[in-house]
C-alpha cells in the first residue's frame, strides 16, 4: 500500500513538472514572437544575400530577441504573481485553475533570474563580440574563426569582471571568508555579481523614473489631440500650406552650385509637412476626442503619479517604525494564503497598474536623458549594435523593476528566487535613502514641469531670458512663430 502511494506521488509530481514546464514554454514562446516582431520593426533592412555577415546578423538577432523576451517576462513577473495570489484566494477549489499554484510562481521567478543572468553575462556579450569579430590574423576567415575570437574575448571579459568583483569585495567586506566564497562560482559569485547589477539597475531607475514621470505628460500631449482654445486651425493650415509651397519652389529653383544649403531646406520642408499633418489631424478629430480624452488622460497621469509618491511617503514612515517593511524582511504567508493588499482585489489591480506605469515612465525617462538619447531606436533604421545596447538596457531596467517596486512599497509581495537574496536589500540606510531620493526627485521634477511657464514669464519680466537660464528659454528662441503669435517648436 505504501509502495502504491509512493508511486502515485511520483506520478503526480512528474505530471505537475510537465504541466509547469509546458506553461512556462508557452508563455515564453508568446513573448518571443512578440519580441521578434518588435525588433524586426526597428532593425535596419539588410540585403537578402546569404553571406557570412548575414548569418552573424541573424544569430545576433535571435539572441537579442531572446533577451527582449526575458525582459518582458521580468516585467510581467510581479504583476502575474500578484494577480495569481488574488485569483487563488477568490477561487481556492476551482478545478480550472489548479495549474496556477505556488510551485509554478516560484519556478517562473527562478527561470527569470536564471535567464537574466544568462542573457546579461553570456548571450549579449557573445552577440556583441560575435558581431564585431573578424577572426584572428593568420587564420582562415569564416564563421569558425569569428566564433573562436568571440570565445577568447568572452574569456578575457570574464577574467576582467572576476578581478573587478574581487577588488570590490575586498574594499567593501575585507574578510577571508567572503573572499573565499567568491571561488564558489554558482552559489555565490553569480548571485553577488547579479546583486551588484541589480543595484545599478535600481539606481538607473531612480534616475530615469522621476524624469519619465514628468516627461509622460509631454509624450501623451504629443500623441493625443489637444483642445482648440482660441485657435483658428483653418488659418494655421492655410499659412503652413503657403510656407510649404514657398519652400518647395525654393528647392526646385536651386541647384548644387547655389550657396544655399539644400539639406537645411529639405529638413525645414520636412518639419513643415510634419506640422501640417498634426494640424490636419487636430482638425479632423471629433469634439469628444479633443475636449474629453485629453483632459481625462492628463488627470489620470496626475492621479497615478500622486498615488505613487504618496505610497512612497507611507513606505518611508513604515520603514521608520516597522522592521517588516524592509524588502528583505520576514517572509509572508505564501501564495494563495492571504491577500497582500489592504483593499483586496482592487488594491492588487491598482498595484499592477502602478507597476506598469512606473516601467513605461522609466523607459520614457531613459530615452529622454541626454546620455542615452542616441540609443533611441528608429523604425527600419537601427543597427544590430544599437539593438543589442537597447536590449541590455531594457533587461537591466526590467530586472530591477520588481526590486524597485518592493523597495518603494508599491507592493508588499515578497521577492522570490534570487531577487530576494540581494544583500543590499537588508541595509536599512540604503533602502531609506532610496525612498527619500525617489520622493524628493520626483516631486522636484513635477514642480519643475508644471511651473516652467510661470518661470519663463518671470525670467522675461526680469530681463533674465537672454541669459539662457532654462531649457525652455532656449527652446522658445529656436522655435518657429505660429500664425496666431504663439511659439510652436517644429
Amino acid at each position: 500500500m505504501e509502495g502504491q502511494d509512493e508511486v502515485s506521488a511520483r506520478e503526480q509530481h512528474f505530471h505537475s513538472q510537465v504541466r509547469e514546464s509546458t506553461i512556462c514554454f508557452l508563455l515564453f514562446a508568446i513573448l518571443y514572437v512578440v519580441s521578434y516582431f518588435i525588433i524586426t520593426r526597428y532593425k535596419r533592412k539588410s540585403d537578402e544575400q546569404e553571406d557570412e555577415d548575414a548569418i552573424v546578423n541573424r544569430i545576433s538577432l535571435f539572441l537579442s530577441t531572446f533577451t527582449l523576451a526575458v525582459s518582458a517576462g521580468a516585467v510581467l513577473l510581479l504583476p502575474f504573481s500578484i494577480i495569481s495570489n488574488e485569483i487563488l484566494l477568490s477561487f481556492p477549489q476551482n478545478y480550472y485553475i489548479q495549474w496556477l499554484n505556488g510551485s509554478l510562481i516560484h519556478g517562473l521567478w527562478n527561470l527569470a533570474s536564471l535567464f537574466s543572468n544568462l542573457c546579461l553575462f553570456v548571450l549579449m556579450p557573445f552577440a556583441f563580440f560575435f558581431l564585431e569579430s573578424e577572426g584572428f590574423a593568420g587564420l582562415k576567415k569564416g564563421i569558425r574563426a569569428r566564433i573562436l575570437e568571440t570565445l577568447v574575448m568572452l574569456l578575457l571579459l570574464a577574467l576582467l569582471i572576476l578581478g573587478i568583483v574581487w577588488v570590490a569585495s575586498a574594499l567593501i567586506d575585507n574578510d577571508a571568508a567572503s573572499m573565499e566564497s567568491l571561488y564558489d562560482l554558482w552559489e555565490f559569485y553569480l548571485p553577488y555579481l547579479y546583486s551588484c547589477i541589480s543595484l545599478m539597475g535600481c539606481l538607473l531607475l531612480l534616475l530615469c523614473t522621476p524624469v519619465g514621470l514628468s516627461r509622460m505628460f509631454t509624450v501623451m500631449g504629443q500623441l493625443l489631440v489637444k483642445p482648440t482654445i482660441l485657435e483658428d486651425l483653418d488659418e494655421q493650415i492655410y499659412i503652413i500650406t503657403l510656407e510649404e509651397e514657398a519652400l518647395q519652389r525654393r528647392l526646385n529653383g536651386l541647384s548644387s552650385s547655389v550657396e544655399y544649403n539644400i539639406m537645411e531646406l529639405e529638413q525645414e520642408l520636412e518639419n513643415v509637412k510634419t506640422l501640417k499633418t498634426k494640424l490636419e489631424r487636430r482638425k479632423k478629430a471629433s469634439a469628444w476626442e479633443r475636449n474629453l480624452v485629453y483632459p481625462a488622460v492628463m488627470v489620470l497621469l496626475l492621479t497615478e503619479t500622486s498615488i505613487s509618491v504618496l505610497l512612497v511617503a507611507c513606505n518611508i514612515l513604515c520603514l521608520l517604525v516597522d522592521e517588516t517593511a524592509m524588502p528583505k524582511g520576514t517572509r509572508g504567508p505564501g501564495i494563495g494564503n492571504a491577500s497582500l493588499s489592504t483593499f483586496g482585489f482592487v488594491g492588487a489591480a491598482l498595484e499592477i497598474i502602478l507597476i506598469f506605469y512606473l516601467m513605461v515612465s522609466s523607459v520614457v525617462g531613459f530615452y529622454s536623458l541626454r546620455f542615452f538619447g542616441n540609443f533611441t531606436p528608429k523604425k527600419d533604421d537601427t543597427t544590430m549594435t544599437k539593438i543589442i545596447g537597447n536590449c541590455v538596457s531594457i533587461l537591466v531596467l526590467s530586472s530591477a523593476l520588481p526590486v524597485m517596486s518592493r523597495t518603494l512599497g508599491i507592493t508588499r509581495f515578497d521577492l522570490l528566487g534570487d531577487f530576494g537574496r540581494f544583500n543590499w536589500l537588508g541595509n536599512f540606510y540604503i533602502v531609506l535613502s532610496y525612498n527619500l531620493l525617489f520622493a524628493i526627485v520626483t516631486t522636484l521634477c513635477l514642480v519643475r514641469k508644471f511651473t516652467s511657464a510661470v518661470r519663463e514669464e518671470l525670467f522675461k519680466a526680469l530681463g533674465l531670458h537672454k541669459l539662457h537660464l532654462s531649457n525652455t528659454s532656449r527652446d522658445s528662441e529656436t522655435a518657429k512663430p505660429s500664425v496666431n503669435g504663439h511659439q510652436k517648436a517644429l
Side-chain angles (χ1 to χ4, degrees), residues 225-266:
V225 178
K226 297 181 181 180
T228 55
I229 302 175
L230 300 179
E231 287 186 280
D232 189 352
L233 294 179
D234 293 330
E235 183 183 359
Q236 293 186 35
I237 293 174
Y238 176 71
I239 294 182
I240 287 294
T241 303
L242 293 179
E243 186 175 356
E244 179 185 0
E245 294 175 354
L247 289 172
Q248 192 66 50
R249 285 194 298 269
R250 289 178 62 184
L251 277 174
N252 295 334
L254 291 178
S255 61
S256 58
S257 60
V258 184
E259 60 180 354
Y260 293 103
N261 194 337
I262 298 180
M263 295 297 295
E264 291 183 0
L265 287 177
E266 290 179 349

Side-chain angles (χ1 to χ4, degrees), residues 42 366-369 372-378 381-382 386 390:
Y42 290 98
F366 176 80
Y367 289 114
S368 299
L369 297 176
F372 302 107
N374 295 329
F375 266 49
T376 306
K378 298 179 181 179
D381 193 28
T382 307
K386 189 176 291 187
N390 279 275

Side-chain angles (χ1 to χ4, degrees), residues 28-321:
F28 184 78
I30 295 173
L31 294 177
Y32 188 90
V33 171
V34 174
S35 302
Y36 179 80
F37 283 112
I38 292 175
I39 291 182
T40 52
R41 178 181 176 83
Y42 290 98
K43 179 180 176 296
R44 177 178 294 174
K45 304 302 180 183
S46 57
D47 297 332
E48 298 298 332
Q49 300 176 357
E50 290 293 333
D51 57 354
E52 180 181 323
D53 291 334
I55 297 175
V56 172
N57 282 332
R58 191 175 295 111
I59 295 175
S60 300
L61 174 64
F62 291 154
L63 296 179
S64 301
T65 305
F66 184 87
T67 302
L68 188 60
V70 172
S71 304
V75 172
L76 298 174
L77 195 60
L78 192 56
F80 181 77
S81 302
I82 294 173
I83 197 66
S84 299
N85 182 67
E86 298 299 325
I87 291 176
L88 290 174
L89 279 175
S90 303
F91 310 99
Q93 302 298 330
N94 195 318
Y95 173 77
Y96 297 100
I97 61 170
Q98 293 299 316
W99 58 272
L100 192 63
N101 49 40
S103 177
L104 175 64
I105 304 300
H106 281 273
L108 289 175
W109 282 78
N110 291 328
L111 287 176
S113 176
L114 174 63
F115 286 156
S116 297
N117 281 281
L118 181 65
C119 293
L120 195 58
F121 301 123
V122 180
L123 298 185
M124 284 294 94
F126 179 85
F128 177 76
F129 290 132
F130 191 45
L131 196 65
E132 299 294 328
S133 63
E134 296 180 357
F136 291 113
L139 296 178
K140 183 180 178 180
K141 301 297 182 181
I143 298 295
R144 293 184 179 180
R146 299 180 73 161
I147 292 177
L148 178 61
E149 181 184 352
T150 303
L151 294 178
V152 172
M153 293 298 297
L154 283 177
L155 179 61
L156 295 176
L157 179 64
L159 293 176
L160 177 63
I161 294 177
L162 179 64
I164 292 175
V165 172
W166 262 337
V167 172
S169 179
L171 293 176
I172 297 174
D173 189 8
N174 191 8
D175 187 8
S178 64
M179 294 293 294
E180 183 141 341
S181 60
L182 281 173
Y183 289 104
D184 193 348
L185 183 65
W186 188 260
E187 291 294 330
F188 185 83
Y189 176 72
L190 285 180
Y192 180 80
L193 187 59
Y194 190 59
S195 176
C196 298
I197 298 296
S198 174
L199 179 59
M200 293 173 56
C202 288
L203 294 178
L204 184 60
L205 283 175
L206 181 62
L207 179 64
C208 298
T209 308
V211 177
L213 289 174
S214 61
R215 178 72 178 162
M216 282 292 290
F217 295 92
T218 304
V219 173
M220 296 306 297
Q222 294 173 351
L223 296 177
L224 299 176
V225 178
K226 297 181 181 180
T228 55
I229 302 175
L230 300 179
E231 287 186 280
D232 189 352
L233 294 179
D234 293 330
E235 183 183 359
Q236 293 186 35
I237 293 174
Y238 176 71
I239 294 182
I240 287 294
T241 303
L242 293 179
E243 186 175 356
E244 179 185 0
E245 294 175 354
L247 289 172
Q248 192 66 50
R249 285 194 298 269
R250 289 178 62 184
L251 277 174
N252 295 334
L254 291 178
S255 61
S256 58
S257 60
V258 184
E259 60 180 354
Y260 293 103
N261 194 337
I262 298 180
M263 295 297 295
E264 291 183 0
L265 287 177
E266 290 179 349
Q267 182 64 35
E268 188 175 356
L269 179 61
E270 187 68 27
N271 293 334
V272 170
K273 289 181 179 179
T274 303
L275 181 57
K276 181 181 178 181
T277 303
K278 292 181 179 179
L279 290 175
E280 291 176 348
R281 179 173 178 267
R282 291 181 63 186
K283 182 181 178 181
K284 294 178 181 179
S286 62
W288 289 96
E289 185 179 358
R290 289 196 305 266
N291 302 323
L292 182 61
V293 176
Y294 181 82
V297 171
M298 292 296 116
V299 171
L300 181 62
L301 292 179
L302 184 60
T303 303
E304 291 179 344
T305 306
S306 303
I307 292 176
S308 302
V309 176
L310 288 176
L311 288 176
V312 175
C314 294
N315 189 55
I316 293 173
L317 297 178
C318 293
L319 288 172
L320 295 175
V321 299

Side-chain angles (χ1 to χ4, degrees), residues 74-79 82 109 198 201-202 205-206 209 308 311-312 315 319 325-327 350-360 362 397-415 419 424-425 431 434-435 438:
V75 172
L76 298 174
L77 195 60
L78 192 56
I82 294 173
W109 282 78
S198 174
C202 288
L205 283 175
L206 181 62
T209 308
S308 302
L311 288 176
V312 175
N315 189 55
L319 288 172
M326 291 289 293
L350 179 61
E351 290 178 0
I352 293 173
I353 293 174
L354 291 178
I355 290 171
F356 282 122
Y357 179 57
L358 290 178
M359 184 60 198
V360 174
S362 64
L397 292 176
S398 59
S399 300
L401 179 66
V403 183
M404 186 192 74
S405 302
R406 181 64 181 90
T407 304
L408 296 177
I410 303 298
T411 179
R412 294 296 177 185
F413 191 89
D414 289 318
L415 300 174
F419 289 92
W424 61 272
L425 291 176
V431 174
Y434 192 89
N435 281 263
F438 183 88

